[in-house]
């Protein structure tokens, strides 16, 4: 009767050992992944800020170009290609003949 009891205890020990061992292995993999990610964060942060800086510089250049184009268009209205300037229409009533009343 002692043999079946030892077999049951051995099976229970194996199941508990397998569960604890797989949990430990999972925890070690998680810890290793965490340490790897923790070490890569400063590099990733630097890379992300580099990308943001690049986009900001490009947006600033485009904005300056647009501002320059608008300023050039606003200041360029007195160009020769603008056509003749409108003249005031004053009607002069000059008569060559003397008026008879």
């Amino acid at each position: 009767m002692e043999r079946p009891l030892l077999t049951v205890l051995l099976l229970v020990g194996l199941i508990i050992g397998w569960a604890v061992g797989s949990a430990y292995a999972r925890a070690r993999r998680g810890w290793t992944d965490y340490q790897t990610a923790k070490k890569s964060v400063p590099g990733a942060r630097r890379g992300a800020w580099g990308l943001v800086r690049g986009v900001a510089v490009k947006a600033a250049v485009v904005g300056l170009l647009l501002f320059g184009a608008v300023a050039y268009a606003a200041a360029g209205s007195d160009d020769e290609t603008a056509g003749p300037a409108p003249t005031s229409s004053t009607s002069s009533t000059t008569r060559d003949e003397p008026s008879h009343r």
Side-chain angles (χ1 to χ4, degrees):
M1 202 150 188
E2 198 171 300
R3 198 150 168 97
L5 181 65
L6 286 176
T7 306
V8 169
L9 288 176
L10 180 65
L11 282 175
V12 168
L14 282 173
I15 291 172
I16 291 173
W18 175 79
V20 170
S22 64
Y24 177 76
R26 225 176 303 127
R28 290 290 295 170
R29 281 194 307 268
W31 182 254
T32 304
D33 292 346
Y34 168 73
Q35 292 297 324
T36 303
K38 185 179 173 182
K39 289 177 185 173
S40 70
V41 164
R45 186 180 297 136
R46 249 182 274 120
W49 278 114
L51 291 173
V52 168
R53 189 179 307 116
V55 168
V57 167
K58 289 175 186 173
V61 168
V62 168
L64 286 174
L65 287 173
L66 287 174
F67 179 75
V70 168
Y72 179 76
S77 64
D78 58 344
D79 195 13
E80 291 178 8
T81 59
T87 59
S88 61
S89 60
T90 58
S91 61
S92 62
T93 57
T94 59
R95 294 188 182 175
D96 292 337
E97 302 175 9
S99 64
H100 297 283
R101 287 193 194 193

